[in-house]
Amino acid sequence: MQSHPVHYVIAIAALAACQPIGGHNKPSGPARLHCKVQQDLRYNSSHRLAANYPLPYDPMPGEGLAEAICCDSLFSYFAEPEWWFNRSDVRFFDKLNSSAITTFYDSACGMPLFRAPVNRTFEEWRQESLTHGWPSFRPPELLAGAINVTDTGEVVSACGTHLGTIDPDEKGQRYCLDTICLSGSPV
């Protein structure tokens, strides 16, 4: 995966957000897509046109939100809309078994990525995610060999799918990830 330079700026939206703020060359056309998401994603994440959501750039005609966020290089420094996972038509945490550990899969290749919650309660995990606006995962929840972190802090799966960013805090490493990119099924 090609890495683009990030030019950090002060922006109010960036203070609480998980995605880095930055500029990069704006690729165009079909070459922007480096993967294709699965047809039927979990957590009500499929069949949503990217043009219907607030994004920093115009998506390609007919591009789905999952493709834009997870596979379109133009959006690699950005995230799904904040609190996407908590929308009334998504309700991510309501769809999970709060007394079990859930495995999350890459939305493009179906590779297992994270298992949560591990070494914390479901409620602790949910609250941390609500605080930050995106699902938050910790190192014990990461499956070995599943991800790579670029020098700009972007988290990508071993398959190359954009997943989110790494955002360390007082507790250590925290993976701040896009629900829509963790909504795949095992293949």
Side-chain angles (χ1 to χ4, degrees), residues 18-89:
C18 294
Q19 74 274 16
I21 298 296
H24 53 84
N25 294 330
K26 188 175 176 182
S28 62
R32 293 180 358 194
L33 295 178
H34 61 269
C35 63
K36 181 166 176 45
V37 296
Q38 295 176 354
Q39 200 61 8
D40 293 309
L41 298 175
R42 297 174 181 197
Y43 318 117
N44 202 18
S45 297
S46 294
H47 315 295
R48 296 172 180 267
L49 286 178
N52 296 335
Y53 298 92
L55 296 172
Y57 301 117
D58 291 332
M60 292 185 291
E63 185 174 20
L65 183 62
E67 282 179 322
I69 299 301
C70 309
C71 299
D72 189 334
S73 60
L74 181 61
F75 298 102
S76 65
Y77 287 106
F78 300 96
E80 68 194 11
E82 191 172 15
W83 289 292
W84 167 267
F85 68 95
N86 207 38
R87 290 171 46 111
S88 62
D89 60 341

Side-chain angles (χ1 to χ4, degrees), residues 126-182:
R126 189 179 79 80
Q127 283 303 318
E128 180 176 82
S129 298
L130 285 168
T131 297
H132 295 287
W134 286 268
S136 293
F137 296 85
R138 297 291 177 169
E141 296 164 328
L142 170 63
L143 295 173
I147 67 161
N148 295 302
V149 179
T150 70
D151 58 356
T152 62
E154 179 186 9
V155 178
V156 296
S157 75
C159 303
T161 307
H162 168 84
L163 301 175
T165 60
I166 192 158
D167 191 19
D169 62 13
E170 68 281 351
K171 295 179 186 174
Q173 298 287 39
R174 183 174 62 83
Y175 301 96
C176 189
L177 305 179
D178 295 306
T179 310
I180 208 161
C181 302
L182 305 171

Side-chain angles (χ1 to χ4, degrees), residues 38 103-114 143-147 156-161 163 181-182 184-187:
Q38 295 176 354
T103 301
F104 297 93
Y105 299 88
D106 186 300
S107 290
C109 71
M111 170 185 199
L113 303 167
F114 289 86
L143 295 173
I147 67 161
V156 296
S157 75
C159 303
T161 307
L163 301 175
C181 302
L182 305 171
S185 296
V187 284

